[in-house]
Amino acid sequence: MTDYRRLRVALLGAGAVGSQVAGLLRQHGDELADRAGATLELVGIAVRDIDAPREVDLPRELLTTDAESLIIGADIVIELMGGIEPARTHILQAINSGADVVTANKALLATHGPEIFDAADQVGAEVYYEAAAAGAIPIIRPLRDSLAGDRVQRIMGIVNGTTNYILDRMDTEGADFADVLADAQRLGYAESDPTADVEGYDAAQKAAILASLAFHTTVPLDAVHREGITAIDKAMMDAARHAGYVIKLLAVCERLTGEASEESISVRVYPALIDRAHPLASVHGANNAVFVQAEAAGNLMFYGAGAGGVQTASAVLGDVVSAARRHIAGGVGVGESTLANLPIVPVGRVTTRYQITLEVDDRPGVLATVAGILSDGRVSIATLEQTVVGSDESGVARLVIGTHKALEQDLSETVDRLAASGVVERVVSVLRVEGD
Ligand code: NAP
């Protein structure tokens, strides 16, 4: 066995991901040492409760509730506690005591990323976070390194497995949102409080991280427009299917070019229609995928498990090997690039295609009124389908209007005008169409 330099590794957290990281570090220690060029010595694991049951058998003597003492003298600190505090304080402590940090903590990076990256920059340390955006899927390194010589134009990601599982079952089985959510909770795909997933908060955190990297810009979480999937119902799913689309919760990060070719970016999370022929439409179950459009590389798609303890541990260990190699080679960390710091535009200034579904009075002249309101609002019709709701005598028709690209602000003002027009009984849904 090669006599490598020993690097002290401190692990904070031994939950779903941390316990798997500890298990794999111990199981594949020799192989990882050969890849890293250093022996990775797990010096301790900080937890809240030493006696809590663990998914992986871990030597009791490695467990401690004293995270601070563990960090002192560590070369690499792996933070897998989650949440903001005490994770933030521990990471800053690790950086300031000369360690490199590996974390999967999207909530922390999306809210305190700049503080953490600045602290690392000041001492030449590196922060690795491959597992923070889409679990096991390698997407951070491709954006940070592989595409560093290209210009990313757009990212569309299915980055939340729970919502994809729910929407996929609603689409394929015609099931109701509430029933599938209850099933997802029973099967462990959704938390007992599903807010972070179904309201799009988790996806928004990942969108902020991906957009920051892709556009070399600091993207604060509150600059990410966010909508969840709780309003999606069976009727919307059926209408989407009928029109050749599928509804997915998408994180869209886009580079925009203005009239004077000045650039800005838009970062948004919402349920959107995508054509069934688009690669993202075939992402089923709890899987994740990130579709990247780059100027020179063209279209790239990254697909796989966006969560899961052992899957996420794979991404974490890849970071640990990178951190070890850097520690051995020496030199300062590359740091985060915020060189461009492009302005971030609100969603109202984004142009997208839409599908508007209305229930209207089924009488002569109504179609002309609707068309007039759309035209006055600078929303141009691309397709229109009219069907009778219920029996011929119901007096209600359903209009499904596909638009050309329109400004979000124009569109929402126009929909308000339609709703107040007196000919529209009900605005059934307004969904963006993505993926052109
Ligand atoms: P988890 O199962 O809740 O585990 C958290 C671990 O941290 C537990 O071992 C807990 O100790 C420990 N911990 C929490 N607060 C602590 C404190 N104040 N002091 C000491 N230890 C503390 O979490 P997880 O699912 O492994 O997730 C860890 C991180 O990975 C999170 O940032 C998460 O967002 C991210 N992530 C998770 C997944 C996934 O599939 N689970 C995927 C991608 C990213 P006890 O065990 O004693 O309670």
Side-chain angles (χ1 to χ4, degrees), residues 137-279:
I137 303 175
I139 185 63
I140 301 297
R141 219 171 256 105
L143 287 175
R144 184 142 95 165
D145 298 332
S146 322
L147 291 167
D150 207 334
R151 280 168 62 81
V152 174
Q153 301 295 356
R154 202 163 203 268
I155 296 175
M156 284 196 297
I158 295 172
V159 291
N160 180 272
T162 306
T163 46
N164 201 57
Y165 172 84
I166 294 172
L167 293 174
D168 190 36
R169 282 198 52 194
M170 288 176 75
D171 177 48
T172 53
E173 298 170 21
D176 276 319
F177 173 81
D179 293 343
V180 189
L181 173 60
D183 250 13
Q185 286 170 317
R186 200 169 40 76
L187 294 167
Y189 285 123
E191 306 275 340
S192 52
D193 176 1
T195 313
D197 293 322
V198 299
E199 294 294 358
Y201 290 101
D202 173 81
Q205 290 167 355
K206 293 166 182 169
I209 292 172
L210 294 177
S212 298
L213 269 174
F215 304 125
H216 307 273
T217 293
T218 303
V219 178
L221 192 52
D222 58 13
V224 180
H225 174 82
R226 176 196 54 77
E227 293 170 35
I229 64 162
T230 50
I232 304 296
D233 61 16
K234 197 167 166 326
M236 289 157 90
M237 276 288 170
D238 291 344
R241 195 178 312 107
H242 180 72
Y245 293 119
V246 60
I247 302 177
K248 296 285 188 192
L249 182 71
L250 294 183
V252 183
C253 315
E254 192 174 25
R255 187 192 294 272
L256 307 166
T257 308
E259 275 163 25
S261 47
E262 79 284 10
E263 290 194 325
S264 56
I265 60 169
S266 154
V267 191
R268 49 201 200 261
V269 168
Y270 46 50
L273 298 167
I274 46 174
D275 194 290
R276 284 194 179 259
H278 193 281

Side-chain angles (χ1 to χ4, degrees), residues 13-18 46-49 52 54 80-82 86 104-106 131 135 306-309 312:
V17 185
V47 291
R48 251 179 320 214
D49 175 5
R54 306 274 156 213
L80 293 169
M81 299 195 305
N105 196 331
K106 59 216 135 202
T312 306

